[in-house]
Amino acid sequence: GQEKSAVKRESTLEQKLSGEQAAPIIDDKLESAALQPVVSEALKMMKAEPTNTKIQEKGCEMLRYLATDEASRNAITSMKGTNAVLKAMHANPDAPDVQGYCCGTLAHLAASPVLRKTELLSHTGVRLVLKAMSKHIGSPFVQYKGCAML
């Protein structure tokens, strides 16, 4: 039941990602418009199952993959993507893979000179990354992605 629905959502998430990445991006407005349905789907799935680690991992990885430039980072942030990543970290403190994917996504979002200075990234994000790195000291994945964010 629940496992089948999670697998189906995970598959839908991957299908949407693969369908969106084929479209050429011409300008910031088109990029934002192309990202919107994919980001929206990822956020919807993450919100629906906050403690499903596979959904949270895939959702964060999708956001990280899409956060490639200033326009995409702004689009993700404006849709509350940063909040979703931080909520995933908060809801799954004992899941090193979720923590690692979240740290990686935050690193990509923090690559923006503007977003890096926001309260969410500069304070809350840093605090949760440090907490994840401390809790999962034996996880090279969490350590690597955490250092990348910091």
Side-chain angles (χ1 to χ4, degrees):
Q2 199 175 34
E3 190 172 309
K4 278 186 180 180
S5 66
V7 170
K8 183 177 179 182
R9 278 190 293 282
E10 193 174 310
S11 175
T12 302
L13 198 57
E14 289 170 358
Q15 288 171 353
K16 286 190 177 283
L17 176 59
S18 64
E20 287 297 324
Q21 64 191 26
I25 304 300
I26 297 167
D27 65 28
D28 288 353
K29 284 185 181 181
L30 284 177
E31 181 173 353
S32 184
L35 287 175
Q36 197 277 334
V38 181
V39 172
S40 179
E41 185 67 21
L43 297 177
K44 183 172 115 182
M45 291 176 162
M46 291 173 74
K47 184 177 182 178
E49 296 193 50
T51 58
N52 181 322
T53 58
K54 290 298 176 196
I55 293 290
Q56 298 307 311
E57 290 168 19
K58 294 289 186 181
C60 284
E61 182 61 5
M62 176 185 285
L63 296 175
R64 183 204 61 81
Y65 183 80
L66 294 171
T68 57
D69 58 22
E70 199 66 22
S72 60
R73 291 179 192 108
N74 286 330
I76 291 166
T77 302
S78 71
M79 295 177 70
K80 308 287 187 217
T82 306
N83 297 48
V85 174
L86 297 175
K87 285 178 183 177
M89 291 182 85
H90 185 70
N92 300 282
D94 297 323
D97 286 343
V98 172
Q99 297 297 313
Y101 282 112
C102 289
C103 289
T105 303
L106 293 175
H108 276 245
L109 294 172
S112 162
V114 174
L115 297 176
R116 183 178 328 135
K117 296 175 185 172
T118 64
E119 178 76 21
L120 275 179
L121 285 176
S122 67
H123 292 78
T124 308
V126 168
R127 184 178 51 78
L128 286 174
V129 168
L130 291 172
K131 186 175 178 181
M133 292 175 74
S134 176
K135 185 170 187 79
H136 301 288
I137 200 146
S139 169
F141 181 53
V142 173
Q143 299 305 311
Y144 175 74
K145 294 295 186 175
C147 285
M149 192 283 183
L150 298 173

